[in-house]
Amino acid sequence: MSIVMDFLQNYVLVCALSSWAVAQVWKFILNYIIDRKVNFERLSGAGGMPSAHSATVTALTIACARFCGTGSTEFAIAVVVAAVVIYDAMGVRHEAGEHAKIINQMLKKSSEEDDDSDDPEIKELKEMLGHTPLEVVGGVLLGILVPLVIPMR
């Protein structure tokens, strides 16, 4: 039971995971407002507003700064990890999602032209992988806010 209590009392971890959870719930709510339908995949899926990846690593970084200090090794590691994750979310994964959209369009067009296109091996690629700059900014702002709201013990 002490492992669970240690986990729940770890300020840095609680901030990071809380920020991820809040971002995912916001994605779910915003998706419902925009599409007017419930999509439970938004509670755990990648992509969308706000970026849960950016929110999580930003909250981790801010919590480390508050708890360990900006001169600590933990803070330095968090900054580097945050930079890599945010760059990946906005750059590489966003581009992969754009590529998936084009490939899906090509597959759809090809299947419309081919009558024998019911191949179960071919499935649509996931398009919502990365984030736009605005989605990343939303995640970063959320990641700053959450550790400032959660009290340190």
Side-chain angles (χ1 to χ4, degrees), residues 80-109:
V80 171
V81 168
V84 170
V85 168
I86 290 170
Y87 173 80
D88 181 65
M90 194 167 56
V92 178
R93 288 186 325 107
H94 181 69
E95 279 302 310
E98 294 300 311
H99 292 169
K101 286 178 190 174
I102 293 168
I103 292 168
N104 286 339
Q105 289 171 356
M106 292 169 61
L107 287 171
K108 184 177 180 183
K109 185 176 181 183

Short mmCIF file of all heavy atoms in Angstrom, two decimals, residues 80-109:
data_model
loop_
_atom_site.label_atom_id
_atom_site.label_comp_id
_atom_site.label_asym_id
_atom_site.label_seq_id
_atom_site.Cartn_x
_atom_site.Cartn_y
_atom_site.Cartn_z
N VAL A 80 14.63 18.92 -21.67
CA VAL A 80 15.07 18.24 -22.89
C VAL A 80 13.99 17.30 -23.41
O VAL A 80 13.67 17.29 -24.61
CB VAL A 80 16.40 17.48 -22.66
CG1 VAL A 80 16.76 16.61 -23.84
CG2 VAL A 80 17.53 18.47 -22.36
N VAL A 81 13.39 16.52 -22.51
CA VAL A 81 12.31 15.60 -22.92
C VAL A 81 11.13 16.40 -23.50
O VAL A 81 10.56 16.02 -24.53
CB VAL A 81 11.87 14.71 -21.74
CG1 VAL A 81 10.58 13.97 -22.05
CG2 VAL A 81 12.97 13.73 -21.37
N ALA A 82 10.77 17.50 -22.86
CA ALA A 82 9.67 18.33 -23.35
C ALA A 82 9.96 18.86 -24.75
O ALA A 82 9.09 18.82 -25.63
CB ALA A 82 9.40 19.49 -22.38
N ALA A 83 11.17 19.34 -24.96
CA ALA A 83 11.53 19.87 -26.28
C ALA A 83 11.42 18.80 -27.36
O ALA A 83 10.87 19.04 -28.44
CB ALA A 83 12.94 20.45 -26.24
N VAL A 84 11.89 17.60 -27.07
CA VAL A 84 11.85 16.51 -28.04
C VAL A 84 10.40 16.10 -28.32
O VAL A 84 9.99 15.93 -29.47
CB VAL A 84 12.68 15.30 -27.55
CG1 VAL A 84 12.44 14.08 -28.42
CG2 VAL A 84 14.16 15.65 -27.52
N VAL A 85 9.60 15.93 -27.28
CA VAL A 85 8.22 15.49 -27.43
C VAL A 85 7.39 16.53 -28.19
O VAL A 85 6.62 16.19 -29.09
CB VAL A 85 7.58 15.16 -26.06
CG1 VAL A 85 6.07 14.98 -26.17
CG2 VAL A 85 8.23 13.92 -25.47
N ILE A 86 7.55 17.80 -27.84
CA ILE A 86 6.79 18.86 -28.50
C ILE A 86 7.20 18.97 -29.97
O ILE A 86 6.36 19.09 -30.86
CB ILE A 86 6.93 20.20 -27.76
CG1 ILE A 86 6.20 20.11 -26.41
CG2 ILE A 86 6.40 21.36 -28.59
CD1 ILE A 86 6.45 21.27 -25.48
N TYR A 87 8.49 18.90 -30.24
CA TYR A 87 8.96 18.93 -31.62
C TYR A 87 8.38 17.76 -32.41
O TYR A 87 7.91 17.93 -33.53
CB TYR A 87 10.49 18.88 -31.66
CG TYR A 87 11.02 18.75 -33.07
CD1 TYR A 87 11.11 19.86 -33.90
CD2 TYR A 87 11.41 17.51 -33.57
CE1 TYR A 87 11.57 19.75 -35.20
CE2 TYR A 87 11.87 17.39 -34.87
CZ TYR A 87 11.95 18.50 -35.68
OH TYR A 87 12.39 18.38 -36.97
N ASP A 88 8.40 16.59 -31.81
CA ASP A 88 7.87 15.39 -32.48
C ASP A 88 6.37 15.51 -32.72
O ASP A 88 5.88 15.18 -33.80
CB ASP A 88 8.17 14.15 -31.65
CG ASP A 88 7.67 12.88 -32.31
OD1 ASP A 88 8.17 12.54 -33.39
OD2 ASP A 88 6.75 12.25 -31.75
N ALA A 89 5.63 15.99 -31.73
CA ALA A 89 4.17 16.10 -31.85
C ALA A 89 3.78 17.08 -32.95
O ALA A 89 2.85 16.84 -33.71
CB ALA A 89 3.56 16.55 -30.52
N MET A 90 4.51 18.18 -33.05
CA MET A 90 4.16 19.22 -34.01
C MET A 90 4.82 18.98 -35.37
O MET A 90 4.27 19.37 -36.39
CB MET A 90 4.59 20.59 -33.48
CG MET A 90 3.99 21.74 -34.23
SD MET A 90 4.17 23.33 -33.40
CE MET A 90 5.90 23.47 -33.15
N GLY A 91 5.96 18.33 -35.39
CA GLY A 91 6.68 18.15 -36.64
C GLY A 91 6.46 16.80 -37.27
O GLY A 91 5.62 16.64 -38.17
N VAL A 92 7.18 15.82 -36.80
CA VAL A 92 7.20 14.50 -37.42
C VAL A 92 5.83 13.84 -37.43
O VAL A 92 5.35 13.39 -38.48
CB VAL A 92 8.23 13.59 -36.70
CG1 VAL A 92 8.23 12.20 -37.30
CG2 VAL A 92 9.61 14.21 -36.77
N ARG A 93 5.16 13.77 -36.28
CA ARG A 93 3.87 13.08 -36.22
C ARG A 93 2.79 13.85 -36.99
O ARG A 93 1.91 13.26 -37.58
CB ARG A 93 3.45 12.83 -34.78
CG ARG A 93 4.31 11.74 -34.14
CD ARG A 93 3.90 11.32 -32.75
NE ARG A 93 3.37 12.35 -31.91
CZ ARG A 93 2.08 12.47 -31.57
NH1 ARG A 93 1.20 11.60 -31.98
NH2 ARG A 93 1.68 13.43 -30.79
N HIS A 94 2.87 15.17 -36.99
CA HIS A 94 1.90 15.95 -37.77
C HIS A 94 2.07 15.65 -39.26
O HIS A 94 1.08 15.45 -39.98
CB HIS A 94 2.07 17.45 -37.50
CG HIS A 94 1.11 18.31 -38.25
ND1 HIS A 94 -0.24 18.33 -37.97
CD2 HIS A 94 1.28 19.16 -39.30
CE1 HIS A 94 -0.84 19.15 -38.80
NE2 HIS A 94 0.05 19.66 -39.62
N GLU A 95 3.30 15.60 -39.73
CA GLU A 95 3.56 15.28 -41.14
C GLU A 95 3.11 13.86 -41.47
O GLU A 95 2.56 13.62 -42.54
CB GLU A 95 5.05 15.45 -41.47
CG GLU A 95 5.44 16.87 -41.73
CD GLU A 95 4.65 17.51 -42.88
OE1 GLU A 95 4.56 16.92 -43.98
OE2 GLU A 95 4.12 18.61 -42.68
N ALA A 96 3.33 12.93 -40.56
CA ALA A 96 2.88 11.54 -40.79
C ALA A 96 1.36 11.50 -40.95
O ALA A 96 0.83 10.75 -41.79
CB ALA A 96 3.32 10.64 -39.64
N GLY A 97 0.65 12.29 -40.17
CA GLY A 97 -0.80 12.37 -40.29
C GLY A 97 -1.23 12.95 -41.63
O GLY A 97 -2.19 12.49 -42.25
N GLU A 98 -0.50 13.97 -42.11
CA GLU A 98 -0.80 14.55 -43.41
C GLU A 98 -0.55 13.53 -44.52
O GLU A 98 -1.32 13.43 -45.48
CB GLU A 98 0.06 15.81 -43.65
CG GLU A 98 -0.28 16.96 -42.71
CD GLU A 98 -1.72 17.43 -42.83
OE1 GLU A 98 -2.18 17.66 -43.96
OE2 GLU A 98 -2.40 17.55 -41.79
N HIS A 99 0.51 12.75 -44.40
CA HIS A 99 0.79 11.69 -45.37
C HIS A 99 -0.32 10.65 -45.36
O HIS A 99 -0.73 10.16 -46.41
CB HIS A 99 2.14 11.04 -45.09
CG HIS A 99 3.30 11.95 -45.32
ND1 HIS A 99 4.58 11.64 -44.92
CD2 HIS A 99 3.39 13.17 -45.90
CE1 HIS A 99 5.39 12.63 -45.24
NE2 HIS A 99 4.70 13.56 -45.83
N ALA A 100 -0.79 10.29 -44.17
CA ALA A 100 -1.86 9.29 -44.04
C ALA A 100 -3.13 9.77 -44.76
O ALA A 100 -3.81 8.98 -45.41
CB ALA A 100 -2.15 9.00 -42.57
N LYS A 101 -3.43 11.07 -44.66
CA LYS A 101 -4.62 11.61 -45.35
C LYS A 101 -4.50 11.40 -46.86
O LYS A 101 -5.45 10.97 -47.51
CB LYS A 101 -4.78 13.10 -45.05
CG LYS A 101 -5.28 13.42 -43.68
CD LYS A 101 -5.35 14.93 -43.47
CE LYS A 101 -5.63 15.24 -42.01
NZ LYS A 101 -5.57 16.67 -41.73
N ILE A 102 -3.34 11.70 -47.40
CA ILE A 102 -3.13 11.56 -48.85
C ILE A 102 -3.19 10.09 -49.26
O ILE A 102 -3.84 9.75 -50.26
CB ILE A 102 -1.78 12.20 -49.25
CG1 ILE A 102 -1.86 13.71 -49.04
CG2 ILE A 102 -1.43 11.86 -50.71
CD1 ILE A 102 -0.53 14.42 -49.12
N ILE A 103 -2.57 9.22 -48.50
CA ILE A 103 -2.60 7.79 -48.82
C ILE A 103 -4.03 7.26 -48.76
O ILE A 103 -4.45 6.50 -49.62
CB ILE A 103 -1.67 7.00 -47.87
CG1 ILE A 103 -0.21 7.36 -48.17
CG2 ILE A 103 -1.90 5.49 -47.99
CD1 ILE A 103 0.77 6.87 -47.13
N ASN A 104 -4.79 7.68 -47.74
CA ASN A 104 -6.18 7.25 -47.63
C ASN A 104 -7.01 7.73 -48.83
O ASN A 104 -7.86 6.99 -49.34
CB ASN A 104 -6.81 7.73 -46.33
CG ASN A 104 -6.33 6.95 -45.13
OD1 ASN A 104 -5.83 5.83 -45.26
ND2 ASN A 104 -6.44 7.54 -43.96
N GLN A 105 -6.76 8.96 -49.27
CA GLN A 105 -7.47 9.47 -50.45
C GLN A 105 -7.12 8.64 -51.69
O GLN A 105 -7.99 8.32 -52.49
CB GLN A 105 -7.11 10.94 -50.69
CG GLN A 105 -7.70 11.89 -49.68
CD GLN A 105 -7.15 13.31 -49.81
OE1 GLN A 105 -6.26 13.58 -50.62
NE2 GLN A 105 -7.66 14.21 -48.98
N MET A 106 -5.84 8.30 -51.82
CA MET A 106 -5.40 7.48 -52.96
C MET A 106 -6.04 6.09 -52.91
O MET A 106 -6.48 5.57 -53.94
CB MET A 106 -3.87 7.38 -52.97
CG MET A 106 -3.19 8.70 -53.29
SD MET A 106 -1.40 8.68 -53.00
CE MET A 106 -0.87 7.41 -54.11
N LEU A 107 -6.09 5.49 -51.72
CA LEU A 107 -6.70 4.17 -51.58
C LEU A 107 -8.19 4.22 -51.89
O LEU A 107 -8.73 3.31 -52.54
CB LEU A 107 -6.48 3.62 -50.16
CG LEU A 107 -5.08 3.17 -49.81
CD1 LEU A 107 -4.97 2.86 -48.33
CD2 LEU A 107 -4.67 1.97 -50.64
N LYS A 108 -8.86 5.27 -51.45
CA LYS A 108 -10.29 5.41 -51.72
C LYS A 108 -10.55 5.55 -53.21
O LYS A 108 -11.43 4.90 -53.77
CB LYS A 108 -10.86 6.60 -50.96
CG LYS A 108 -12.36 6.76 -51.09
CD LYS A 108 -12.87 7.91 -50.26
CE LYS A 108 -14.37 8.01 -50.43
NZ LYS A 108 -14.92 9.15 -49.70
N LYS A 109 -9.75 6.38 -53.85
CA LYS A 109 -9.91 6.59 -55.30
C LYS A 109 -9.62 5.29 -56.05
O LYS A 109 -10.35 4.93 -56.97
CB LYS A 109 -8.98 7.69 -55.78
CG LYS A 109 -9.16 8.04 -57.24
CD LYS A 109 -8.30 9.19 -57.66
CE LYS A 109 -8.57 9.50 -59.12
NZ LYS A 109 -7.72 10.56 -59.62
#
